[in-house]
Amino acid sequence: MKQKSQSLRPRPIPERIYLDHAATSPLRPEAKAAMDEGIAIWANPSSPHAEGRKARAALEDARERIKAALGLGQIAKDYELIFTSGASEAAALVLHNAQAGARLVSAVEHDSILGTAPDAERLPVRPDGALDLEVLREAVQRERPLVAVQSINSETGNEQPVLEIAEIAHEAGGLFLCDCAQSAGKWPIPPNADLTIVSAHKFGGPIGVGALLVKDYAMLKPTGGHERGYRRGTENLPGVLGMAAALEAANDPYVAPEVLEPLDQLAEEVRVAGGTWLTDQLSNPTPYIHAIAMPNMSASAQVMRFDMAGIAVSQGSACSSGTMKTSHVLQAIGLDDELASRVIRVSTGWNTTREEVERFCEVWLELAKR
């Protein structure tokens, strides 16, 4: 990752302000340029002819670049990397094919995990969002369990103690799957995870491509097809090249602290206004995702009002089948339905500016006074 920060020179506020990077981040220009190059290398990487070999060489070069850019340092060479269509496919690949017994997942996992393994045992989290490690220690006392935990929660931004979770799983002879969709490209991935999920469009890469890092292919049942026999479907070379370029272009820190400073002031204003700054409750909050409850206004109304003001944010509760359903994440950390219904998510990314954050804060305060 590049050791640099975003420019802090005042810039004009754009007509639209995008603060929903946890859902997807805009494509970085470096990624787009790499994808354009990839489109010109149009052959199937599995073909034996010269055109295919050229595509294969580009694919394998990108594979090594991605491993190097994920922050693993010297141990990157010890990992295998399977390209997928995104985080959801990577999760399904592991949950269906891991050479393990019981599937254990936290109660605040992404729907791609919970939906793929509906019969998995759900482990509770504490009110501060952290996985209950005492419950985990009891739950892993079975033959070779697979423990799946998201490194950073996509709704609250809370970081789980993944290094300790991995140790507990390993002490019991189990495997640890870490969903790094929200952390890859922003922080190094945990070095003791057995399997790690990465999604390109969360850090400025293209939609439709991701990866599964594997410490040992023997941890998975082969399915046949491409990617050493562990994934069916021709590799998306333009997407892979865009993913590599986006990772290499990422700043360190991912978003300059100065860009986010207005949110610190807003936190106090939220408390004074009678709202809830959910970060106050969390065990280990991270700076790029915030969950905020406004007094006396539903999340759906807030999202619409912000959209009318030119700002894109998202809802902390989801609409399912025409009825409002409380977010399972907010429910798991103990928020009642009324409070959860007023929570929105604000998430920043690689191209967020201080002026945009300041404008969001202004609009939040204006809406809270109505």
Side-chain angles (χ1 to χ4, degrees):
M1 297 170 73
K2 294 181 180 178
Q3 301 287 323
K4 69 176 184 179
S5 299
Q6 289 117 318
S7 171
L8 298 180
R9 290 177 296 176
R11 284 179 277 181
I13 298 174
E15 184 177 343
R16 293 287 304 176
I17 295 173
Y18 185 77
L19 296 176
D20 196 19
H21 287 257
T24 195
S25 203
L27 188 67
R28 296 191 70 113
E30 299 91 343
K32 183 179 184 302
M35 293 176 72
D36 290 341
E37 294 176 8
I39 290 171
I41 310 172
W42 45 263
N44 190 321
S46 296
S47 297
H49 45 61
E51 290 82 358
R53 294 196 302 273
K54 180 179 180 181
R56 171 60 59 181
L59 185 76
E60 297 307 322
D61 177 67
R63 196 187 307 272
E64 295 306 312
R65 289 165 54 202
I66 290 169
K67 290 198 295 181
L70 284 171
L72 287 167
Q74 293 298 315
I75 65 171
K77 64 181 184 303
D78 300 329
Y79 284 77
E80 308 294 345
L81 188 147
I82 299 171
F83 288 120
T84 67
S85 62
S88 295
E89 185 191 354
L93 196 158
V94 175
L95 292 168
H96 291 319
N97 301 304
Q99 300 273 23
R103 272 56 171 160
L104 311 176
V105 304
S106 88
V108 293
E109 291 307 295
H110 190 274
D111 283 339
S112 65
I113 296 284
L114 300 179
T116 302
D119 298 326
E121 180 177 344
R122 297 195 185 188
L123 306 175
V125 296
R126 305 187 313 233
D128 63 6
L131 183 67
D132 190 321
L133 298 185
E134 293 308 312
V135 173
L136 174 63
R137 287 188 176 92
E138 291 291 327
V140 295
Q141 299 307 313
R142 59 190 76 188
E143 187 176 356
R144 198 171 169 78
L146 170 68
V147 180
V149 175
Q150 195 177 40
S151 61
I152 294 177
N153 188 267
S154 57
E155 291 192 37
T156 66
N158 196 51
E159 183 177 11
Q160 294 288 354
V162 291
L163 298 179
E164 192 172 355
I165 292 169
E167 289 177 3
I168 293 171
H170 293 156
E171 287 171 0
L175 300 177
F176 176 51
L177 166 63
C178 191
D179 178 0
C180 289
Q182 293 294 343
S183 59
K186 300 158 191 167
W187 293 278
I189 66 170
N192 59 347
D194 300 297
L195 306 118
T196 305
I197 294 170
V198 179
S199 180
H201 72 104
K202 303 296 188 181
F203 50 77
I207 290 175
V209 64
L212 176 68
L213 277 169
V214 186
K215 275 195 172 178
D216 188 341
Y217 279 134
M219 295 174 176
L220 297 172
K221 300 173 187 176
T223 59
H226 299 280
E227 292 300 283
R228 278 73 168 174
Y230 287 88
R231 191 254 178 175
R232 296 187 180 276
T234 302
E235 295 91 346
N236 174 5
L237 181 56
V240 165
L241 295 180
M243 178 180 180
L247 271 175
E248 292 172 341
N251 293 336
D252 185 13
Y254 188 68
V255 181
E258 295 87 348
V259 171
L260 304 175
E261 280 179 353
L263 290 172
D264 295 333
Q265 178 61 37
L266 178 64
E268 182 57 34
E269 299 280 2
V270 168
R271 300 178 193 110
V272 171
T276 300
W277 189 261
L278 201 60
T279 296
D280 294 339
Q281 177 177 329
L282 302 177
S283 62
N284 193 14
T286 52
Y288 310 140
I289 299 175
H290 290 282
I292 312 168
M294 184 179 292
N296 305 318
M297 187 179 295
S298 70
S300 57
Q302 290 176 63
V303 169
M304 288 188 288
R305 296 287 183 88
F306 275 109
D307 194 40
M308 292 171 63
I311 303 173
V313 296
S314 59
Q315 215 167 314
S317 55
C319 185
S320 177
S321 302
T323 59
M324 293 304 298
K325 181 182 177 182
T326 302
S327 157
H328 70 278
V329 171
L330 301 182
Q331 198 169 47
I333 62 175
L335 269 64
D336 61 52
D337 288 353
E338 193 279 328
L339 176 56
S341 72
R342 295 187 279 110
V343 174
I344 63 167
R345 179 184 68 183
V346 181
S347 50
T348 53
W350 66 269
N351 63 344
T352 303
T353 68
R354 183 185 178 101
E355 292 74 25
E356 291 174 336
V357 175
E358 288 173 342
R359 177 57 182 157
F360 163 77
C361 295
E362 291 172 2
V363 173
W364 194 96
L365 292 171
E366 289 171 6
L367 293 178
K369 293 174 182 176
R370 295 186 180 183

